[in-house]
Amino acid sequence: MTDWPEKKLGFGLMRLPKNGDDIDIDATCRLVDEFLAAGFTYFDTAYVYQGSEDAFRKCVAERHPRGSYTIATKMAGWKLSPDYTPADMFADQLARCGVEYFDYYLLHSLQESRGTVYEDNGCFDFCQKMKEEGKIRHFGFSFHGSPELLEKLLTDHPEVDFVQLQINYVDWENNAIWSGKNYEIAAAHGKKVIVMEPVKGGFLASLSPETAAPFTAIHPDASPASWALRFAGSLPAVAVVLSGMNAPAQMADNVATFGDFQPLTDEEQAAIAKVRDNILSVPTVPCTACRYCTEGCPMGIFIPDVFKAYNMILTFGEHNRPHFYYSGQLALGSGKASDCIQCGQCEAACPQHIDIIEQLQKASAVLDV
Ligand code: SF4
Ligand code: SF4
């Protein structure tokens, strides 16, 4: 079975249950068995998800017939070198996953900051060759960039079958995530869409009662996560909605949502719009991520990225995700928010007239802790 799944829920293997530092294989096997027993088939992993491809082999490939599941994994272009080619990585992935072919194979995380690493390493041509040899059944890429880049990639590479996009109802019109615009571009090119982060890294699963009131007014017992998943699953071009399940209750809720999937009604879409308004009504730093401010910053502070993390905290409260994102930016070379020497260069450059110095001080108070 290698076509698109009948049921749209996919099992994301990025955040599997842990036993200490290691993936808990027994607990993962139980989740896998429950998922398959409920009639679902699609698993999603990646070369760079630590231990995940091996866990897939142990929990799925070595325990279930090949025809009962489908597997998607991803090539990490930034790990390639002249000594470690796409063919080397692909062979390692087949061995790690314990399969002879991949039902779905993706180039991982295309975006502006990755440059042309996939073109430079011949990855598109290599995947097309693997497809012709039957080792890849469907070829695509996951994407974190702008609508302009997505349009260019899909125009330059009509051989791509599908794209994996960040789609959730809060970021539908977000000018840094572009859920809506990127979905529409993919659909206009006739591509299937795989949805990642439908609950925005868990944020949309834990709404306050006040924020979620429009949901509970219609379905008092439905979880906020089920609303977010149904939003993604109701989009016509969407083939699979990924959920990174790591607990039995989460699995049960997701399986129930997609077991007998009901697209959102007009009344339910209106409730989604109200909850989105509730979430977005929280005042945040109105940064559009244009980055006019960053080039001249003597302290090398990735100002819009600091504000992105800070805005996540303002909107959703304390959560490990913004801190994880912020420390990732520091690892990429950003100065800390607290490094600001108040030179004022950025404020002069900002078309949104943001009081950047003061906002960085507030951000620093919650991020540099
Ligand atoms: S005021 Fe601070 S953030 Fe702005 S450019 Fe100067 S050092 Fe960088
Ligand atoms: S110039 Fe202003 S709006 Fe643009 S990225 Fe910097 S802070 Fe954000």
Side-chain angles (χ1 to χ4, degrees), residues 102-273:
F102 292 118
D103 305 274
Y104 308 91
Y105 194 75
L106 303 90
L107 305 181
H108 199 166
S109 191
L110 274 66
Q111 55 190 299
E112 277 80 357
S113 62
R114 295 246 182 268
T116 55
V117 65
Y118 287 104
E119 282 90 349
D120 296 346
N121 284 283
C123 298
F124 283 92
D125 292 342
F126 172 78
C127 288
Q128 191 60 17
K129 184 162 167 275
M130 290 301 98
K131 197 172 162 189
E132 286 160 15
E133 292 180 13
K135 292 182 180 166
I136 293 174
R137 302 294 162 91
H138 299 273
F139 168 48
F141 58 80
S142 64
F143 187 74
H144 294 266
S146 69
E148 293 75 24
L149 179 59
L150 182 59
E151 179 66 46
K152 179 178 185 333
L153 285 168
L154 291 179
T155 302
D156 290 350
H157 295 286
E159 73 274 22
V160 163
D161 299 313
F162 68 99
V163 290
Q164 184 163 311
L165 300 173
Q166 297 181 89
I167 290 181
N168 67 75
Y169 63 81
V170 173
D171 291 325
W172 192 249
E173 295 185 6
N174 180 308
N175 54 19
I177 306 284
W178 300 285
S179 284
K181 278 190 186 162
N182 283 344
Y183 168 80
E184 279 154 16
I185 288 168
H189 279 265
K191 306 304 178 189
K192 291 286 188 189
V193 173
I194 311 294
V195 175
M196 57 182 157
E197 302 288 9
V199 291
K200 199 170 169 58
F203 287 122
L204 302 181
S206 55
L207 304 176
S208 71
E210 299 76 34
T211 302
F215 290 164
T216 44
I218 300 175
H219 300 299
D221 298 327
S223 68
S226 71
W227 281 86
L229 293 171
R230 287 181 63 212
F231 173 81
S234 297
L235 296 163
V238 165
V240 175
V241 180
L242 296 175
S243 178
M245 296 172 275
N246 57 19
Q250 186 187 20
M251 169 72 70
D253 190 35
N254 292 354
V255 161
T257 300
F258 283 92
D260 177 24
F261 185 77
Q262 301 295 326
L264 293 172
T265 64
D266 290 348
E267 182 193 21
E268 290 169 334
Q269 290 281 11
I272 290 265

Side-chain angles (χ1 to χ4, degrees), residues 293 296-299 301 303 339-347 356-357 360:
C293 57
C297 174
M299 304 311 290
I301 301 169
I303 297 163
D339 290 344
C340 174
I341 56 170
Q342 306 186 10
C343 70
Q345 176 281 144
C346 54
E347 294 193 355
I356 295 175
I357 295 171
L360 281 178

